[in-house]
Amino acid sequence: TTMLVRFIHSQRANYTKWNKCMDIKAEIKQFLSRFFNDYNLRDDEDIFSLGFVNSLFAMQLVLFVERTFQLSIENEDLAIDNFRTINALASLIQRKKVLAG
């Protein structure tokens, strides 16, 4: 019985983490849809290689992340790889939330 309870708790924790990740991705997709119009952006697609991005967009993206997820993006977080895809953005946000406690 104890093993079953542990298994259920671990699965619940995995589901909660997955669900939060999906919520984060949904927020990111909603924001990006304003800039990408009817383009169906995949979670792993490089937004910088699509030609939609300029320096103003990059600043708006950082502000969106800070305001929406109540995070502070530091200079060391500004590596382009953290913002290149929806998956990368979601990972950055999750890491920052864990660090913020």
Side-chain angles (χ1 to χ4, degrees):
T1 306
T2 305
M3 289 182 72
L4 179 60
V5 170
R6 286 184 191 157
F7 175 76
I8 291 170
H9 284 290
S10 71
Q11 294 305 306
R12 186 179 299 150
N14 288 340
Y15 175 76
T16 300
K17 182 178 178 182
W18 177 83
N19 201 31
K20 287 180 183 177
C21 182
M22 297 313 290
D23 291 344
I24 290 170
K25 287 182 181 182
E27 291 277 350
I28 295 168
K29 286 180 180 183
Q30 183 177 4
F31 172 79
L32 292 176
S33 70
R34 292 186 274 163
F35 299 92
F36 289 76
N37 298 324
D38 294 329
Y39 186 82
N40 188 17
L41 186 64
R42 294 184 322 268
D43 291 357
D44 62 347
E45 195 165 13
D46 185 339
I47 63 174
F48 293 100
S49 69
L50 296 174
F52 294 109
V53 178
N54 59 34
S55 58
L56 177 60
F57 170 80
M59 290 178 63
Q60 290 174 317
L61 184 57
V62 171
L63 287 173
F64 158 76
V65 169
E66 288 184 325
R67 291 179 180 159
T68 303
F69 301 101
Q70 300 174 1
L71 300 171
S72 180
I73 300 298
E74 307 298 332
N75 286 339
E76 60 269 13
D77 300 320
L78 292 174
I80 195 168
D81 287 340
N82 285 331
F83 296 87
R84 190 174 297 281
T85 66
I86 292 170
N87 287 339
L89 275 163
S91 292
L92 171 66
I93 292 162
Q94 286 179 312
R95 284 193 312 272
K96 297 291 284 182
K97 284 185 159 290
V98 168
L99 291 174

